[in-house]
Amino acid sequence: MNESLLSASRVITDKVAENISRVEELAYEIRVREVMTSQVITMQPDDTMQTVLETFRQARISGAPVLEDGNLIGLVSIEDLIRCLLKQDLAAPVRQYMTLNPVVVKGDDSVIEALKVFVSKKFGRLPVVDNTGHLIGILTKGDITRGLLRALERDYQSEEVRRYRASHLFEDIESERTSLILRYNIKQGDFEHGGEASAKIKRALLRLGASPQIARRCGIAVYEAEMNLIIHTTEGGVIRAEIEPHQISIDVYDYGPGIRDVELAMQPGYSTASEKVREMGFGAGMGLVNIKRCVDWMKLESEWGKGTRLRMKIYLPPPHTHKKEENPSGQ
């Protein structure tokens, strides 16, 4: 997995920015529920740590959610077991060593959000819950890797879209100015539908004949802007994408609350997301950094108490210079 998208310490060069892999793109597309382990071994808070030891050894796992009356209350890991062994305290109940109120991800979250949590929190596993908070699975980095490999295999076997798409964006249309405008209203706090606008824009670009690389860059930039509207605004906002033969222009705006310090907001890792949003796995402070990496031009304007406007451009190559990619999986 290319973690350049997630690491605040890594320098993003122009070469890296121009070479977004299909794996990175899939991390934005695939939902956690598609790659998680749904058959979860769980523990009870009154189970002994001896039971945990035997369960981990037999099932060959290194962590398990702890349920009480069907509700997720904690997580017990191999690290907790080691602490217990050092104290020779295997008769102790799980509740004495487990981690309370564990960080969770939702099944409908995109894999990229789970990866951000793994990188920022250094966890080995994450419980997966539905919209009601009910445990539906568990996620490890190994689950994500296997899920991405399966998706890449499906990509390789399916080339219908690329086979029939146009040779270049708007190449066969003659006009003094030709453009397609796509507009989407984004609701504040609507995590369930987060990423839908970016996926629709990317799909439209592919159907119009844009290269997979252009579609990836645009998809990631719009996704991050879309999630910022969902996380940070008071009433949501609007995403407007204008597709022309020579460029893609994206305008994202809202009416509050605005950004107090735009320069500070551009720093990797800086975030004003609430604790509740962070517990959901969002608000890692890498959104604007990722956007800047993916676009050719970007301007962020904001006035505290009034709103924010983010404008982006991705420039398209002239007709007949669009090279055909030999690898249909886009790796």
Side-chain angles (χ1 to χ4, degrees), residues 9-257:
S9 60
R10 178 171 174 176
V11 176
I12 304 299
T13 64
D14 290 340
K15 183 177 180 181
V16 172
E18 293 172 359
N19 188 30
I20 297 168
S21 70
R22 176 58 175 152
V23 174
E24 280 185 272
E25 183 186 30
L26 283 169
Y28 282 83
E29 293 179 356
I30 297 175
R31 301 294 173 176
V32 167
R33 55 182 151 71
E34 299 178 58
V35 299
M36 70 180 188
T37 298
S38 56
Q39 300 297 320
V40 187
I41 295 174
T42 63
M43 308 301 299
Q44 298 291 321
D46 292 325
D47 288 339
T48 65
M49 293 301 287
Q50 177 70 48
T51 302
V52 172
L53 174 63
E54 294 171 358
T55 301
F56 282 12
R57 180 177 57 81
Q58 293 174 4
R60 296 185 178 183
I61 59 176
S62 59
V66 181
L67 301 183
E68 186 172 43
D69 298 327
N71 298 315
L72 177 67
I73 63 167
L75 187 72
V76 61
S77 68
I78 194 71
E79 291 83 4
D80 300 322
L81 185 57
I82 290 172
R83 287 193 296 113
C84 175
L85 288 169
L86 289 174
K87 295 181 179 180
Q88 298 182 345
D89 195 22
L90 286 175
V94 169
R95 67 171 72 250
Q96 187 172 324
Y97 286 93
M98 70 182 186
T99 298
L100 293 170
N101 303 316
V103 174
V104 301
V105 291
K106 289 187 176 180
D108 289 329
D109 290 347
S110 65
V111 164
I112 192 67
E113 302 301 340
L115 283 171
K116 290 176 182 177
V117 176
F118 277 128
V119 170
S120 63
K121 302 293 187 181
K122 311 297 182 185
F123 293 149
R125 65 208 60 79
L126 291 169
V128 184
V129 299
D130 59 19
N131 290 330
T132 65
H134 180 71
L135 182 73
I136 59 172
I138 195 162
L139 182 72
T140 67
K141 285 176 278 189
D143 292 326
I144 293 176
T145 300
R146 287 187 291 272
L148 291 174
L149 288 174
R150 288 194 299 269
L152 284 172
E153 184 178 5
R154 291 194 298 269
D155 259 11
Y156 190 82
Q157 295 171 348
S158 178
E159 302 179 37
E160 287 82 0
V161 173
R162 296 193 62 205
R163 183 179 301 151
Y164 294 108
R165 65 185 174 88
S167 60
H168 190 273
L169 197 63
F170 297 121
E171 183 175 359
D172 300 322
I173 299 177
E174 296 182 3
S175 170
E176 290 185 2
R177 179 175 178 179
T178 305
S179 67
L180 172 66
I181 296 176
L182 306 175
R183 189 179 187 278
Y184 303 90
N185 293 313
I186 309 300
K187 297 180 180 179
Q188 189 275 338
D190 189 11
F191 292 96
E192 183 178 353
H193 297 98
E196 287 188 1
S198 57
K200 290 174 181 176
I201 290 174
K202 189 183 71 174
R203 186 160 56 245
L205 286 170
L206 289 172
R207 288 175 177 174
L208 287 166
S211 72
Q213 182 60 214
I214 290 291
R216 287 171 201 153
R217 290 171 56 194
C218 187
I220 290 175
V222 176
Y223 172 88
E224 295 288 8
E226 185 177 355
M227 295 309 299
N228 278 345
L229 291 176
I230 292 172
I231 293 170
H232 298 290
T233 62
T234 52
E235 299 179 8
V238 174
I239 296 176
R240 180 184 182 276
E242 182 174 8
I243 306 168
E244 300 178 83
H246 64 289
Q247 69 180 18
I248 303 167
S249 303
I250 305 147
D251 195 3
V252 183
Y253 57 90
D254 64 75
Y255 299 104

Side-chain angles (χ1 to χ4, degrees), residues 259-277:
I259 301 172
R260 290 186 185 273
D261 189 331
V262 171
E263 185 175 345
L264 183 60
M266 290 298 301
Q267 299 302 310
Y270 176 79
S271 175
T272 58
S274 67
E275 189 62 32
K276 181 179 180 180
V277 169

